[in-house]
């Protein structure tokens, strides 16, 4: 048997109602914050990611699915969304119409990481990107949006970690101080960090090796090196979070694993999962649009890990899985044909309708209707076709009524189309016939 690729997974019908509910809430919240959806391809030129994420990052160094297509172009399955959205903003000159855009997208990302619980090689993200706004209120608004989403989805047990990575004016001072600190601790750093130390010392903060973590506990804090402009920006973001009563932890070790960030960075951690405890992360990337060949417009965004979000939500009540509104139990060849036609008419009227094609006994058809969780069953046999009246059974109340077959679709739609709560799929009700 051919099986799934390691690190990939199927999302089965039992789980999709929860995914759909989350996506519906996400779209609603994004709408209310004035965001518009963008969909970019999952395949891009490798250079886009190498240039934006940074060649000395874990993602670009070892986690990308990269291959040459038959013409020899190097292509990569997107490991994150920001680079693609920035590319689209530049390529389609969205900025020329208005520099300010608030965009969101939902879709799969690919990273060849070591699979474990909460870490997959194909995983889904909900992404938000904002272009053209320098004001620190944009940072706090984005975090507010993220927290509104989590509140709406009833995700608790989360903490917001926040930091500022400064800008090209102040970060080099910090990098220099960090460099001297690391030089004094080389004997305790892992081989990866010794390599990172020269090329990209900030990445040493991301290392999970215990001795490196111990060393970094005493590392200098970037917050002590911020220039006045970055300090004022950061203070304004925090003040806005205070005003909206959003709790946060200032975390000077939070560097995020990508190179493009400037100023505000943040991550949302949950205590409901194991080692893979980050469910969202983001920040400002004020230089990225220009670095990728666009105008000098600032940007900021976040990504929520949907798979991890679903694992957190798995403890909550199952969302309602609706059964069909109507099941047509047809007995005999002529009734089966008539039922088949009516079924399409009901569906065009928006009534979810099912029937059984195997022409089984009424008892087994009723059992099937019950198993599917149908709210009503329309019972028609060849004999009823001749007498001109069928039977409509309410599966909740067990009440039955006779309905004339003339103009039946309109009549039954009127009865079953009322806004009564749909039955939960699989819920048992007694079947008697
Ligand atoms: P990042 O920008 O790498 O911090 O990713 C943002 C979010 O995506 C993380 O906080 C995770 O929730 C999620 N994520 C990242 N990598 C994976 C992965 N390999 N499997 C599942 N979720 C992931």
């Amino acid at each position: 048997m051919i099986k799934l690729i390691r690190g990939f997974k199927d999302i089965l019908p039992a789980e999709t109602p929860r995914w759909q509910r989350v996506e519906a809430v996400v779209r609603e919240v994004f709408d209310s914050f004035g965001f518009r959806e963008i969909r970019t391809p999952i395949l891009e030129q490798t250079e886009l990611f190498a240039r934006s994420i940074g060649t000395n990052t874990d993602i670009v160094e070892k986690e990308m699915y990269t291959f040459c297509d038959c013409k020899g172009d190097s292509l990569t399955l997107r490991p994150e969304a920001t680079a693609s959205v920035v590319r689209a903003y530049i390529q389609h000159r969205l900025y020329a119409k208005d520099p300010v855009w608030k965009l969101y997208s939902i879709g799969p990302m690919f990273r060849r990481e070591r699979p474990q619980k909460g870490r997959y090689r194909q995983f889904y993200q909900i992404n938000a990107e904002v272009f053209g706004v320098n004001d620190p209120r944009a940072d706090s608004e984005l975090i507010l949006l993220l927290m509104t989403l989590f509140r709406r989805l009833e995700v608790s047990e989360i903490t917001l970690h926040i930091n500022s990575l400064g800008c090209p004016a102040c970060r080099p001072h910090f990098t220099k101080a960090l460099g001297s600190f690391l030089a004094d601790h080389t004997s305790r750093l892992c081989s990866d960090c010794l390599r990172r130390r020269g090329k990209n010392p900030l990445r040493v903060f991301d290392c999970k090796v215990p001795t490196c973590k111990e060393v970094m506990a005493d590392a200098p804090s970037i917050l002590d090196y911020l220039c006045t402009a970055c300090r004022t920006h950061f203070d304004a973001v925090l003040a806005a979070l205070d005003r909206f009563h959003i709790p946060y932890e200032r975390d000077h070790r939070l560097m995020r694993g990508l190179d493009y960030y400037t100023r505000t960075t943040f991550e949302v951690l949950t205590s409901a999962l194991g080692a893979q405890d980050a469910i969202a992360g983001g920040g400002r990337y004020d230089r990225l649009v220009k670095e990728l060949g666009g105008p000098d417009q600032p940007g900021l965004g976040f990504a929520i890990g949907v798979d991890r979000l679903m694992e957190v939500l798995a403890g909550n009540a199952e969302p309602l899985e609706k059964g069909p509104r109507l099941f047509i139990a047809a007995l005999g060849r002529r009734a089966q044909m008539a039922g088949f036609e009516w079924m399409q008419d009901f569906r065009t009227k928006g009534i979810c309708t099912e029937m059984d094609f195997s022409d089984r006994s009424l008892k087994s058809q009723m059992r099937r209707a019950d198993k599917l969780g149908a709210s009503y069953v329309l019972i028609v046999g060849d004999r009823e076709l001749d007498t001109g009246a069928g039977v409509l059974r309410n599966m909740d109340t067990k009440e039955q009524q006779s309905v004339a077959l003339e103009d039946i679709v309109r009549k039954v739609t009127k009865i079953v189309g009322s806004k009564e709560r749909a039955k939960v799929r699989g819920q048992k009700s007694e079947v008697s016939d």
Side-chain angles (χ1 to χ4, degrees):
M1 186 187 49
I2 299 170
K3 288 197 178 160
L4 268 174
I5 308 171
R6 193 165 125 80
F8 287 63
K9 64 176 183 174
D10 297 310
I11 300 160
L12 297 173
E15 300 160 66
T16 49
R18 202 192 292 285
W19 285 70
Q20 287 169 354
R21 191 182 85 84
V22 166
E23 284 164 11
V25 170
V26 163
R27 288 178 195 284
E28 239 179 82
V29 174
F30 273 122
D31 271 357
S32 66
F33 277 76
F35 280 64
R36 295 166 69 186
E37 187 178 5
I38 182 163
R39 301 185 189 199
T40 59
I42 54 167
L43 208 54
E44 298 270 5
Q45 294 190 40
T46 304
E47 197 193 344
L48 175 68
F49 302 116
R51 269 175 56 188
S52 54
I53 298 169
T55 41
N56 297 314
T57 55
D58 277 358
I59 295 180
V60 174
E61 270 182 352
K62 47 189 183 194
E63 294 170 1
M64 295 206 304
Y65 281 96
T66 296
F67 61 93
C68 281
D69 77 353
C70 57
K71 285 230 172 105
D73 293 328
S74 179
L75 305 179
T76 293
L77 282 173
R78 65 179 181 192
E80 60 108 48
T82 303
S84 305
V85 178
V86 171
R87 181 203 44 70
Y89 176 74
I90 300 169
Q91 183 173 346
H92 303 288
R93 294 172 51 81
L94 297 186
Y95 56 85
K97 195 169 167 214
D98 182 349
V100 181
W101 284 84
K102 298 197 279 186
L103 303 170
Y104 78 92
S105 60
I106 306 174
M109 307 295 152
F110 305 83
R111 295 184 196 170
R112 205 177 183 292
E113 297 187 82
R114 199 168 51 78
Q116 64 179 83
K117 190 172 160 31
R119 200 204 275 149
Y120 309 99
R121 290 179 168 178
Q122 174 176 333
F123 57 97
Y124 289 79
Q125 282 188 342
I126 295 161
N127 288 88
E129 316 291 345
V130 176
F131 296 107
V133 196
N134 273 310
D135 194 285
R137 274 174 296 184
D139 310 39
S140 14
E141 187 187 40
L142 197 66
I143 295 173
L144 200 59
L145 191 166
L146 186 59
M147 292 312 189
T148 306
L149 255 171
F150 286 140
R151 200 175 319 124
R152 282 282 309 275
L153 293 169
E154 295 174 45
V155 178
S156 49
E157 301 176 53
I158 50 174
T159 42
L160 169 67
H161 287 236
I162 188 162
N163 192 19
S164 173
L165 296 189
C167 67
C170 54
R171 201 190 302 168
H173 300 296
F174 170 69
T175 316
K176 199 166 159 222
L178 181 63
S180 329
F181 170 83
L182 293 174
D184 292 340
H185 294 83
T186 46
S187 60
R188 299 187 62 208
L189 296 177
C190 72
S191 55
D192 271 350
C193 283
L194 287 175
R195 196 171 42 81
R196 289 179 184 127
R197 186 172 76 92
K199 291 182 181 167
N200 196 346
L202 296 192
R203 297 278 76 85
V204 180
F205 280 102
D206 305 330
C207 185
K208 300 278 183 289
V209 174
T211 47
C212 296
K213 279 172 96 170
E214 271 171 36
V215 169
M216 295 315 277
D218 298 323
S221 162
I222 193 164
L223 295 176
D224 296 333
Y225 290 81
L226 296 183
C227 60
T228 312
C230 287
R231 157 70 48 201
T232 311
H233 187 99
F234 191 48
D235 287 346
V237 175
L238 299 185
L241 295 181
D242 288 335
R243 197 166 313 128
F244 289 104
H245 307 290
I246 296 177
Y248 56 84
E249 276 180 32
R250 232 175 298 211
D251 182 352
H252 72 89
R253 282 186 287 271
L254 177 69
M255 295 292 153
R256 310 270 299 123
L258 305 90
D259 278 357
Y260 52 61
Y261 288 112
T262 48
R263 293 195 166 168
T264 319
T265 51
F266 53 89
E267 243 170 43
V268 177
L269 307 183
T270 171
S271 53
L273 299 175
Q276 303 307 317
D277 59 354
I279 48 171
R284 251 191 194 273
Y285 46 83
D286 288 342
R287 293 162 54 78
L288 185 59
V289 177
K290 188 149 187 251
E291 272 167 16
L292 289 179
D296 193 3
Q297 288 294 344
L300 60 156
F302 67 65
I304 303 176
V306 189
D307 309 73
R308 291 184 196 170
L309 177 62
M310 293 301 164
E311 278 157 30
V312 173
L313 293 177
N316 295 3
E318 289 295 328
L320 205 66
E321 214 182 318
K322 284 187 210 149
R325 198 77 190 128
L326 180 67
F327 185 93
I328 301 177
L331 294 152
R333 235 172 56 84
R334 280 191 301 131
Q336 278 270 329
M337 266 327 290
F340 188 49
E341 280 172 24
W342 294 333
M343 180 164 71
Q344 311 313 323
D345 292 341
F346 282 120
R347 288 171 173 173
T348 51
K349 288 187 181 301
I351 308 283
C352 172
T353 309
E354 292 278 3
M355 68 183 288
D356 190 313
F357 292 147
S358 55
D359 198 13
R360 290 186 292 181
S361 71
L362 179 60
K363 190 166 181 172
S364 21
Q365 292 197 46
M366 292 306 283
R367 236 188 249 126
R368 175 98 190 119
D370 193 41
K371 191 169 178 191
L372 289 174
S375 305
Y376 288 87
V377 180
L378 176 62
I379 306 163
V380 190
D382 285 351
R383 203 182 58 209
E384 281 75 14
L385 282 185
D386 296 333
T387 56
V391 171
L392 184 68
R393 179 182 172 93
N394 180 323
M395 295 294 275
D396 283 328
T397 62
K398 317 279 181 293
E399 278 162 1
Q400 302 200 156
Q401 58 181 296
S402 169
V403 273
L405 295 186
E406 201 194 331
D407 208 6
I408 183 139
V409 174
R410 193 184 58 79
K411 282 184 205 137
V412 171
T413 298
K414 218 167 152 190
I415 303 168
V416 310
S418 70
K419 285 254 179 299
E420 195 187 300
R421 195 175 73 87
K423 282 182 69 181
V424 177
R425 194 168 203 137
Q427 192 180 61
K428 286 280 162 257
S429 65
E430 255 170 48
V431 181
S432 56
D433 55 337

